[in-house]
Amino acid sequence: NLYRRTMQGKDMKEKFNEFYFSSGLYSYYIEAYVELHPIYKPVAVLFRKGDKEIGLEELQRAIDSTTYIQVEALLFMSLLQLNYEKEMDQALEYAAVLYNNYPKNTYYIGHYLMILLYQDEFELAQVILEGLGQKEDKYSHMIYTIMQGFIIENNLNNLTDAKSNYLDGIEIAEEFGPFADIYKAIAYAGLSRISLKTKNKKLSKKHRRKSKSLSNYEFILDYE
């Protein structure tokens, strides 16, 4: 039923711009996901073919011309640039728009911070972190603790305090289940780097496996 509705939306996008979002997602992901997971190729042939370039164009059209779905289009464009296209600069641009338009939204703050940190933009990240640290809810505190640990580890080179931050952040994150997996992945990747730097290769591999099980984002484990 969802597939039929999506195809109907693709055929109606010229009449109602909001459908450029679902059409773009389908066009892109039906190709990109199978490229990343070839095991699904025999299943994908049963559905209408997509086109990644067209998908990107349609998502950009949704960003530029829709009213109700523009924010979701911005977020998904940032996510796919990050995870599939491996274009972190592009992902950062879309994340910055979300952050600037919705500076009180904790999810967008965290997403923007994550990309900034992996781009080594520590100065700007620290400014944003200071604002996040003033929030009183535990989810914000969890993000603040882990991201601060990242800065302490990679900008200040204080492995002891960074490890403490990562462990504290992981403990807080347990309360939020899958909603905090990306941040736990960042923390475990940090613990893996710290363990490697302190000559504990066995523990480093253990933390690395844990990080990989929590996120498919390659840049998290590729960071050095």
Side-chain angles (χ1 to χ4, degrees):
N1 185 51
L2 178 60
Y3 174 73
R4 288 196 301 271
R5 294 299 180 94
T6 301
M7 293 305 101
Q8 290 172 358
K10 286 181 72 67
D11 296 335
M12 295 174 62
K13 61 182 182 290
E14 298 295 339
K15 296 180 180 179
F16 190 48
N17 284 350
E18 306 297 320
F19 284 122
Y20 273 106
F21 173 65
S22 57
S23 180
L25 284 184
Y26 179 88
S27 295
Y28 186 87
Y29 279 111
I30 195 69
E31 299 297 327
Y33 191 82
V34 172
E35 288 179 7
L36 198 60
H37 307 279
I39 192 173
Y40 292 106
K41 194 170 185 177
V43 179
V45 298
L46 302 174
F47 301 95
R48 188 188 296 187
K49 285 182 64 63
D51 184 301
K52 290 197 297 183
E53 291 303 316
I54 290 176
L56 290 175
E57 291 172 4
E58 290 182 337
L59 280 174
Q60 187 61 54
R61 180 79 175 265
I63 291 169
D64 294 337
S65 64
T66 59
T67 301
Y68 303 106
I69 210 74
Q70 182 188 55
V71 175
E72 286 78 5
L74 276 165
L75 177 60
F76 273 90
M77 182 67 97
S78 182
L79 291 171
L80 69 84
Q81 291 290 345
L82 201 56
N83 195 27
Y84 291 92
E85 293 293 300
K86 317 298 184 190
E87 294 287 348
M88 194 169 285
D89 288 341
Q90 291 292 318
L92 182 61
E93 286 186 20
Y94 292 108
V97 174
L98 285 169
Y99 170 74
N100 289 325
N101 289 343
Y102 305 96
K104 295 182 180 180
N105 185 299
T106 302
Y107 182 87
Y108 298 151
I109 294 172
H111 180 64
Y112 186 43
L113 271 171
M114 175 180 67
I115 304 175
L116 282 174
L117 290 176
Y118 281 92
Q119 291 281 70
D120 293 333
E121 297 285 352
F122 297 117
E123 186 174 346
L124 176 55
Q126 188 64 65
V127 173
I128 297 172
L129 266 176
E130 289 174 3
L132 186 64
Q134 295 176 11
K135 290 178 173 284
E136 296 181 357
D137 64 285
K138 292 185 72 174
Y139 192 77
S140 296
H141 182 57
M142 177 268 297
I143 297 174
Y144 173 85
T145 303
I146 291 174
M147 298 304 200
Q148 192 68 55
F150 191 98
I151 291 178
I152 293 170
E153 175 203 354
N154 297 291
N155 192 37
L156 303 180
N157 199 32
N158 185 334
L159 302 187
T160 301
D161 287 350
K163 179 180 178 180
S164 178
N165 268 60
Y166 287 143
L167 292 173
D168 288 346
I170 289 170
E171 184 176 352
I172 301 169
E174 294 299 330
E175 180 178 332
F176 300 101
F179 293 104
D181 279 357
I182 185 69
Y183 298 106
K184 287 191 288 185
I186 291 170
Y188 278 112
L191 290 173
S192 177
R193 290 190 299 270
I194 291 171
S195 297
L196 190 61
K197 291 173 184 175
T198 55
K199 311 302 181 183
N200 193 335
K201 292 184 179 181
K202 184 176 180 180
L203 186 58
S204 177
K205 290 180 179 179
K206 179 181 177 181
H207 288 318
R208 186 177 178 85
R209 287 194 299 270
K210 183 64 175 178
S211 177
K212 190 173 183 179
S213 72
L214 291 164
S215 171
N216 291 322
Y217 288 127
E218 295 178 3
F219 68 87
I220 291 178
L221 288 174
D222 290 343
Y223 186 85
E224 296 180 356

